[in-house]
Amino acid sequence: MILQFTRLVQGALRQERRFQITSNNLSNVDTPSFKEDVLSFDWRLKAHLTVNHSQGPLRETGNPLDVSLADEGFFTVQTPYGTRYTRDGRFTINSAGELVTQTGDQVLGEGGPITIAGNKVDINKAGEVFVDGEIVDALKVVTFEDLTPLFKQGGNLYEYLGDPGAEITPPNIDVKQKTIEGSNVETVTEMARLIELSRMYETYQKMLQSFDETDAKAISDVGQLR
Amino acid sequence: MIRGLWTAASGMQAQQMNIDVTSNNLANSSTTGFKKSRANFQDLMYQTMLVAGPTTPGGGQIPTGIQVGMGAKPSSVQKIFTQGDYVQTGNELDMAIEGDGFFLVSDGTENLYTRAGNFTLDSEGFITTPAGLRLQPEIAIPPETTLITVQSNGQLTAHGPNEETLLTEQINVHTFINPAGLFAVGGNLFRETEGSGAPVELTPGVDGAGTIANTYLEMSNVSVVDEMVNMIVGQRAYEANSKSVQTADTMLGIANGLKR
């Protein structure tokens, strides 16, 4: 019996790990462009974490520097640590007039950082940026054959850990100006998961207790001299 | 478990900030020239438990790693400079800017920028904001003036009792490359920062600068419906995260219950 304890403890620990993922998903239910993490276990009960890259809901904001992607792909961003990718297009302009993210990283166009010098910014479906009616550059929208090596970095950024030359231009680019993409976390699903895992955790605990009772019987009652 | 507890707490804190910003927007839904703010969120850092890429003892590669996120954080609170609605007041010193740009006013020590054009005259006849900041360049309206008109190109004319022109002055607007980078000092006033860039003084209607609509005021750009919806979303997200906190608590209680 004593050996059986490990499985139950592992089962409980699996629920804890599921809880960490679920609570992170829930805390980002309102984070634009956030993609939910999905934790699954294979037949050997080995954990696999995948990111659900499905489209989040688009919301109109009216702000000309809010850009979202209504189809596949990522915006390319230059950070101090190297190139990163994001779907969060809540851009602004820094004091040098460059298009940057909320954290100040340069948004890259086909020709490097995009300088906005003028008053009126228009961005079309293909991601071409017009300032006062003059085209200046096009947003560099890229994707990858395989999205699994895209690692979340925090700050709505992804790092690509695969072959650096794997960037491809998506066949369908649909850039929408004045909108932002919401989080694709389904609150109801996560809530259901929360209930399920906490009940499963309880089940493991009850099993641990009954195993403990059985062991106690075997040790103290069975061997008793009458 | 404890980590998940704090993850959920970070989500609650982010939503608190969201509600703070939303309630300030609602409080200013009828403030002249007010520009709404938006709280921006990002996911917090990730703790990597298993790195993708290394070779397994069997000779294969670990295809995907495991990263556990630590919650959400506010990244910035951004002013959104969309146009507010116009209201005709009939007051000859009311001005609204249609398009980009700000009025330049001064409190005597520093230059500040505003879109609230509800001007009035002080005791010396200068055009000032209701708080007493003089419009720049300073314009003194002669006491015998009976009518003041402002053209859409910013030309102000003071007319006398016999239809003669007593004074003409030019009111210019100042544009910024990134208005979202301006620092809000309260009282509808903004201060330039490195993030906003330097102001460009323009004649209204020239080079993309807005034109001036006399006898009109620009109202706040807060959409009450949007803010209400945002408040509902914020409250529900807050509630969802509080459920995570409760679950963490329950699970910790269960773990503690193992040892009787």
Side-chain angles (χ1 to χ4, degrees), chain A residues 63-82:
Chain A
N63 187 22
L65 290 182
D66 284 339
V67 191
S68 65
L69 291 164
D71 209 319
E72 59 185 332
F74 297 86
F75 298 114
T76 317
V77 174
Q78 187 64 48
T79 73
Y81 318 102

Side-chain angles (χ1 to χ4, degrees), chain A residues 6-121:
Chain A
T6 28
R7 289 191 182 173
L8 299 174
V9 171
Q10 278 173 346
L13 286 172
R14 264 200 306 280
Q15 304 313 315
E16 281 191 26
R17 186 166 283 186
R18 285 178 71 200
F19 172 66
Q20 277 153 13
I21 304 288
T22 308
S23 71
N24 183 54
N25 284 347
L26 275 173
S27 70
N28 286 295
V29 70
D30 204 16
T31 303
S33 81
F34 180 81
K35 302 293 175 203
E36 66 162 346
D37 291 316
V38 181
L39 187 66
S40 52
F41 296 96
D42 61 16
W43 62 274
R44 285 173 310 182
L45 294 177
K46 200 167 152 302
H48 293 274
L49 188 77
T50 44
V51 178
N52 168 12
H53 280 286
S54 69
Q55 178 80 39
L58 296 185
R59 196 169 83 231
E60 189 87 25
T61 65
N63 187 22
L65 290 182
D66 284 339
V67 191
S68 65
L69 291 164
D71 209 319
E72 59 185 332
F74 297 86
F75 298 114
T76 317
V77 174
Q78 187 64 48
T79 73
Y81 318 102
T83 307
R84 297 289 181 268
Y85 304 94
T86 186
R87 283 182 65 93
D88 177 8
R90 290 169 300 169
F91 301 139
T92 180
I93 298 175
N94 65 10
S95 54
E98 293 165 330
L99 195 66
V100 291
T101 64
Q102 288 297 323
T103 36
D105 300 321
Q106 294 162 333
V107 180
L108 295 179
E110 296 296 346
I114 303 173
T115 308
I116 309 276
N119 283 310
K120 196 165 172 298
V121 181

Side-chain angles (χ1 to χ4, degrees), chain A residues 191-205:
Chain A
M191 278 292 169
R193 201 168 282 150
L194 215 50
I195 294 166
E196 182 200 38
L197 67 89
S198 66
R199 288 300 177 195
M200 282 181 78
Y201 193 76
E202 206 174 349
T203 309
Y204 284 118
Q205 178 246 8

Side-chain angles (χ1 to χ4, degrees), chain A residues 19 23-24 26-27, chain B residues 1-17 44 70-74 237-238 240-246 248:
Chain A
F19 172 66
S23 71
N24 183 54
L26 275 173
S27 70
Chain B
M1 193 101 74
I2 300 279
R3 191 192 308 129
L5 185 68
W6 291 111
T7 300
S10 79
M12 287 176 82
Q13 267 163 350
Q15 289 311 325
Q16 257 174 18
M17 186 164 192
L44 209 59
M70 312 289 266
K73 66 158 189 265
Y238 189 79
N241 281 288
S242 77
K243 293 279 188 282
S244 288
V245 173
Q246 282 171 5

Side-chain angles (χ1 to χ4, degrees), chain A residues 66 93 95 102 116 119 155-156, chain B residues 38 43 76 177-178 194 207:
Chain A
D66 284 339
I93 298 175
S95 54
Q102 288 297 323
I116 309 276
N119 283 310
N156 296 343
Chain B
R38 176 175 78 190
D43 49 357
S76 66
I177 181 129
N178 182 26
E194 278 200 347
D207 287 344

